[in-house]
Amino acid sequence: MRIGFVGDVVGKPGRTILKEHLQRLKFRERLDVVIANGENSSHGFGMTADSIGELLDSGIDVITGGNHSWDKKEILALLQSDLPILRPLNYPQTAPGSGIGIYQIGNDSLAVLNVMGHFAMPLVDNPFTLALAAVKTLHEQGIRHIFVDFHAEATSEKRAMFWLLSGHVSAVIGTHTHIGTDDLEIANGTLGLSDAGACGCMDGVLGFEKENVCERFTSGISRALQIPTKCTKILPLVVYETNSEGRCVLGYKIRVIDSNEPEIILQAYSYD
């Protein structure tokens, strides 16, 4: 199975560059499925029916979330629909939606887990014990192709989750910080990356206009965060391949900037 993953899609610039490139990349890279974190897809905060529809039309097959999943109230109903949207697993069970999705990809089943970290995040249940329990249950169901989007602030949490789940899932990729890391690696058949990086404007701050953000830091006065109307757009895409047992056998990261040709910027280091 060949899987692509796009980190946090931030506002209209992120949705636009996906429209421009993703279908061609899916064909070129022979991807069976593409997963994306969509919690910032609507004006940088939350998801709406329109932003979700644009992501799906662009070629995204499964959408994960995070702490901003709840920013738009219409998401409550959307999470209970048949749309392929997830929210973090470790929110209370009374929250709508699910943190686990199981999808039929050809002759195989792919499980996607969406988990959120602890540090500097809303109060949620322990992500590590819940992830271990969920993976154990999936194994008991005979599912070996398992992808984990770990939406967390601290790289220490992301590294710990990678090593905790290595040998048990196909990939653990971090989201939330919007800044891509270069620790792409494979251990015990599991691909790991601390953060995939954001899809959207790259010449600002975390996908937002830099002026108001810089004023926040220099004056201490809060200003509304705005998505730029014009910017240099970036699409980072992590690609990995698994064997019949769900073990990752190769991984790399592609970057597209505006209308430039895609380029491979990272090859996964393998301990195996």
Side-chain angles (χ1 to χ4, degrees), residues 113-124:
L113 271 65
N114 190 186
V115 188
M116 193 167 74
H118 267 168
F119 176 73
M121 301 294 263
L123 181 64
V124 289

Side-chain angles (χ1 to χ4, degrees), residues 258-269:
D258 284 338
S259 59
N260 297 329
E261 283 299 304
E263 57 177 338
I264 295 177
I265 59 170
L266 278 177
Q267 294 276 4
Y269 176 80

Side-chain angles (χ1 to χ4, degrees), residues 30-231:
R30 299 178 287 110
L31 300 179
D32 298 299
V33 62
V34 177
I35 305 159
N37 188 292
E39 68 140 17
N40 299 121
S41 60
S42 178
H43 306 291
F45 297 97
M47 294 178 273
T48 63
D50 287 343
S51 68
I52 289 167
E54 285 191 45
L55 295 183
L56 297 176
D57 289 344
S58 295
I60 301 299
D61 300 292
V62 182
I63 301 171
T64 54
N67 56 301
H68 287 294
S69 287
W70 316 103
D71 288 0
K72 303 291 191 293
K73 296 306 179 186
E74 64 187 275
I75 195 64
L76 301 178
L78 295 170
L79 281 168
Q80 298 177 84
S81 70
D82 293 331
L83 291 169
I85 318 167
L86 301 176
R87 49 83 170 165
L89 174 70
N90 43 337
Y91 272 102
Q93 292 184 2
T94 52
S98 175
I100 304 174
I102 300 175
Y103 309 94
Q104 194 66 28
I105 311 297
N107 296 322
D108 291 309
S109 293
L110 167 67
V112 178
L113 271 65
N114 190 186
V115 188
M116 193 167 74
H118 267 168
F119 176 73
M121 301 294 263
L123 181 64
V124 289
D125 293 333
N126 189 297
F128 302 96
T129 56
L130 281 180
L132 284 170
V135 169
K136 180 181 178 182
T137 299
L138 290 169
H139 284 182
E140 290 170 351
Q141 296 172 1
I143 297 173
R144 290 295 183 270
H145 296 273
I146 303 172
F147 173 86
V148 180
D149 172 359
F150 189 29
H151 197 75
E153 181 79 26
T155 52
S156 57
E157 287 189 342
K158 296 176 182 182
R159 294 288 296 167
M161 185 69 82
F162 167 60
W163 286 112
L164 191 67
L165 296 181
S166 68
H168 304 287
V169 303
S170 306
V172 179
I173 300 182
T175 55
H176 179 64
T177 68
H178 293 206
I179 300 298
T181 58
D182 67 353
D183 56 336
L184 189 67
E185 54 200 337
I186 300 170
N188 304 313
T190 299
L191 181 79
L193 180 65
S194 289
D195 204 287
C199 174
C201 291
M202 64 180 290
D203 52 344
V205 179
L206 307 184
F208 296 95
E209 286 183 346
K210 51 186 173 291
E211 289 78 14
N212 285 3
V213 179
C214 290
E215 186 170 337
R216 278 186 174 204
F217 285 115
T218 55
S219 71
I221 299 172
S222 181
R223 293 285 301 275
L225 300 180
Q226 301 292 337
I227 300 292
T229 55
K230 293 183 180 181
C231 65

Side-chain angles (χ1 to χ4, degrees), residues 1-3 25-33 241:
M1 190 182 299
R2 288 180 65 88
I3 297 170
L25 284 170
K26 285 183 79 171
F27 178 78
R28 192 186 89 161
E29 303 301 321
R30 299 178 287 110
L31 300 179
D32 298 299
V33 62
E241 183 174 329

